[in-house]
Amino acid sequence: MSTITQVAAILKTTDKELERIGEKILAEERITAEEGLTLFEKGTLSYLGALANHVRERRHGNKTYFNRNFHIEPTNVCVFTCQFCSYSRLYAHRDEGWELSQQQMMDIVKGYDGKPVTEVHIVGGVHPKMNLEFFTELLGKIKTHRPDLHIKGFTAVELDYMFRKAKLTVEEGMKKLHAAGLDSMPGGGAEIFHPDVRNVICADKVDAEGWLKIHEAAHREGMHTNATMLYGHIETYAHRIDHMQRLRDLQDRTGGFNTFIPLKFRNKDNDMSHVTESSIIEDMKLYAVARLYMDNFPHLKAYWPMLGRQNAQLTLSFGVNDLDGTIDDTTKIYSMAGSEEQTPSLTTAQLVSLIKQVGREPVERDTLYNEIKNYKDVDLNAISQDPSLN
Ligand code: V47
Ligand code: SF4
């Protein structure tokens, strides 16, 4: 059955309100905040999944993107006290954490010499001594060593702190980092924008307006950025819609966002351990509504280290068209919060086969979604025996 027939069949069996929203989506009309809320409240998994899959295939066909990247986490020492964070150590307890020197970070970069990675993702805690100067120097060193490596770095939370300490405006700070070699920004630190939730889970870091202002400045500088949403804790459906609405509004103004990345709250070893994690069904519904609501975001990403590999495969039927990357990493932010993925690293062959196993077309991309290689017709045995893909 084609997607269209499938969707049509489902639309017939549901209530009038859902049917009307579904028809709007099929006609490529934007849905309102109220309609988004209705999808969360009344949409069944199969209904939302069929619609989201239709939209995903309308945009991207069967393509599922990934990139070859590695992460650097400069420190887990952090001046902030986000309740959901299992990873940070306060400055007063910095002996329990780690702080990498520029040399140590350059050693990590040099460890990838000759390997076909295209991106380094740099993100960590907010350390009071790792300032704008420290990071502009680091960016310069990375670019001198490997000019073609795309540097995606720093959440709006880290930048807000750095710019304020350096007494620079957001625009001035962003120009400086861009000139030093920063190519784009990841989407972290967004959490839930609504103050009723933000003031409970991460009261002391940059607020919604500050986060959005930094991303807007990056877009005006000609850089692309991502946006996240930490979901599945104390927020309501209305808070999720409010969050997505603010992002959709900014995207209407700038067009600078590449990817929306819902991040599932994990509850191990943090101050929100009493909060039950969301079910897989709720996770899939969230991905589907995100695909339907964020109509001006080209890409929807599932971050497999947090969801687990099989659930990440499942999201590919609920609107997702990107699985981040091979990551090859010592990333601790999720393993410390209870993710199944204790060693978040996949070879290219493993990632390609995960995507192929669910009938999708693996496409290696760079950070800006330029296609590097389509693996549709590549034999899995050939991939696993190719040393450059391990
Ligand atoms: O902002 C922290 C999240 C984010 C927990 O842009 C948690 O490509 C779940 O933003 N349970 C940082 N999540 C990571 C991030 C990211 C990751 C991958 C790709 C990109 C991208 C961005 O991690 C934080 C916070 O929302 N986080 N603790 C937790 N217990
Ligand atoms: Fe610091 Fe980020 Fe953890 Fe918040 S989530 S405490 S800003 S490392």
Side-chain angles (χ1 to χ4, degrees), residues 114-334:
K115 294 192 183 165
V117 289
T118 58
E119 172 191 286
V120 55
H121 178 156
I122 307 176
V123 72
V126 179
H127 190 296
K129 302 236 161 93
M130 289 182 172
N131 57 18
L132 190 62
E133 208 185 325
F134 176 87
F135 282 117
T136 46
E137 271 174 31
L138 176 72
L139 293 171
K141 286 181 184 173
I142 297 174
K143 281 289 173 190
T144 305
H145 181 73
R146 192 161 173 176
D148 60 322
L149 190 65
H150 182 108
I151 308 180
K152 179 176 79 176
F154 314 118
T155 65
V157 176
E158 293 165 272
L159 295 186
D160 171 65
Y161 186 85
M162 274 187 233
F163 296 164
R164 281 191 292 117
K165 262 206 129 166
K167 297 198 174 16
L168 294 178
T169 65
V170 167
E171 289 73 21
E172 289 165 345
M174 201 58 78
K175 268 197 174 19
K176 211 169 172 172
L177 285 176
H178 194 199
L182 186 68
D183 295 300
S184 67
M185 274 176 66
E191 322 311 358
I192 288 286
F193 288 141
H194 197 285
D196 287 354
V197 176
R198 202 169 186 87
N199 290 338
V200 176
I201 66 170
C202 55
D204 53 0
K205 72 184 183 188
V206 67
D207 63 9
E209 289 69 32
W211 191 99
L212 291 163
K213 191 173 174 202
I214 288 178
H215 280 259
E216 179 157 8
H219 299 168
R220 305 257 177 242
E221 237 331 269
M223 292 155 77
H224 283 276
T225 74
N226 291 336
T228 57
M229 174 170 77
L230 181 71
Y231 74 92
H233 42 90
I234 60 166
E235 88 289 359
T236 62
Y237 290 148
H239 293 133
R240 293 180 186 179
I241 293 289
D242 173 76
H243 188 93
M244 293 194 282
Q245 180 68 46
R246 294 180 200 228
L247 291 170
R248 201 169 81 167
D249 288 346
L250 177 55
Q251 180 74 334
D252 277 343
R253 291 207 306 279
T254 65
F257 286 117
N258 263 340
T259 311
F260 183 53
I261 313 163
L263 295 171
K264 176 189 172 97
F265 165 69
R266 307 303 305 244
N267 68 5
K268 190 174 155 229
D269 290 336
N270 54 46
D271 291 338
M272 289 169 63
S273 291
H274 56 285
V275 177
T276 311
E277 290 179 1
S278 61
S279 68
I280 301 302
I281 291 175
E282 275 299 308
D283 294 338
M284 296 307 136
K285 283 171 76 172
L286 180 271
Y287 278 100
V289 176
R291 182 59 285 170
L292 301 175
Y293 201 72
M294 307 298 268
D295 60 352
N296 55 3
F297 272 63
H299 304 284
L300 181 66
K301 185 195 281 189
Y303 192 57
W304 62 262
M306 174 187 52
L307 274 179
R309 296 167 200 206
Q310 285 188 355
N311 294 336
Q313 282 178 309
L314 209 51
T315 65
L316 299 181
S317 299
F318 290 87
V320 168
N321 69 295
D322 188 305
L323 285 188
D324 198 275
T326 45
I327 298 180
D328 199 4
D329 171 35
T330 51
T331 296
K332 297 178 184 70
I333 197 154
Y334 294 113

Side-chain angles (χ1 to χ4, degrees), residues 75-89 124-126 155 157-158 189 191 201-202 204-205 333:
T75 182
N76 70 338
V77 173
C78 190
V79 298
F80 296 119
T81 55
C82 305
Q83 301 295 291
F84 52 80
C85 185
S86 319
Y87 147 100
S88 64
R89 295 292 173 269
V126 179
T155 65
V157 176
E158 293 165 272
E191 322 311 358
I201 66 170
C202 55
D204 53 0
K205 72 184 183 188
I333 197 154

Side-chain angles (χ1 to χ4, degrees), residues 300-372:
L300 181 66
K301 185 195 281 189
Y303 192 57
W304 62 262
M306 174 187 52
L307 274 179
R309 296 167 200 206
Q310 285 188 355
N311 294 336
Q313 282 178 309
L314 209 51
T315 65
L316 299 181
S317 299
F318 290 87
V320 168
N321 69 295
D322 188 305
L323 285 188
D324 198 275
T326 45
I327 298 180
D328 199 4
D329 171 35
T330 51
T331 296
K332 297 178 184 70
I333 197 154
Y334 294 113
S335 51
M336 288 169 85
S339 159
E340 292 80 2
E341 301 289 345
Q342 293 304 312
T343 49
S345 173
L346 285 177
T347 62
T348 304
Q350 285 171 320
L351 199 50
V352 164
S353 50
L354 278 185
I355 296 168
K356 285 201 164 198
Q357 273 165 17
V358 290
R360 297 294 190 190
E361 186 181 322
V363 178
E364 185 182 342
R365 61 162 175 88
D366 66 14
T367 312
L368 302 177
Y369 289 84
N370 298 304
E371 291 191 12
I372 295 177

